[in-house]
Amino acid sequence: MIIKILTMFPEILEPVYRIPLIRRLLDQGEWSVQIIDIREYVPGSFRHIDDSPYGGGAGMIIRAEPVLKALKSVRTDLSHTVFLTPAGIPYDQRKAHELSEKKELVLICGHYEGIDARILPDVDECISIGDYILSGGETAALVILDSICRLQQGVIRSESIREESFEAPLLEYPQYTHPRVYEGREVPEVLLSGDHEKICKWRLKEALRVTLKYRPDLLDRECSEEEKQLLKELEEE
Ligand code: ADE
């Protein structure tokens, strides 16, 4: 996959080359990441990259011209262009899968109060990584790249992706590793039993417990008979 990131602050994106899985994809030649400085597309030395908003209001707006010039210089017929903004569709695991299948991704990072809306006809979609305002889209771009690099073929085992929270419609059950007892805290007995069926049931119940506590909205769906039974048991505890 070819990834092109348009930014006014390239230095914020330097860590992308140090994220281990991304590093591996780059070293294997599976990915290429190009960081494009929008400031290089500001015409003339005296002109500014931003200006005050028409109609008044606080803050500065990035002008459409340098962004569109930068975009036009890097975009190809294969590009899927995403503008990172709090006013976009919410990013989730389904969207991560969708983006991970693109051949070429162009991410546009905004700053200040945003970018002149006249860039939008050149954008395929607007994505928000959550209901909060970041100082710019660069950290959102890092989040997106981190989440999609794990989904590339062969990066991690496909079973482990399937078992994860958000791939299944429940949050993940708690996991344990050695030692069996750490400072008096024991690994649940059932996980040592070797009884696969019992372990699966325990994991489902614990996944339901965590989901009920932190994301009850994920249970607003038709639950299986087994889930209903386990939810009843949890209610009675
Ligand atoms: N830029 C500023 N806030 C953002 C958010 N929540 N998601 C994506 N890009 C952003």
Side-chain angles (χ1 to χ4, degrees), residues 84-86 127-130 132-137 140:
L84 298 164
T85 163
I127 293 182
S128 162
I129 63 156
Y132 39 78
I133 317 282
L134 301 165
S135 61

Side-chain angles (χ1 to χ4, degrees), residues 3 35 43-45 57 72 76 80-81 118 133 145 154 229 233 237:
I3 294 143
I35 299 174
S45 54
K72 280 172 185 155
T76 71
H80 181 75
T81 304
R118 285 169 290 186
I133 317 282
L145 293 193
Q229 174 58 35
E233 284 178 27
E237 273 181 13

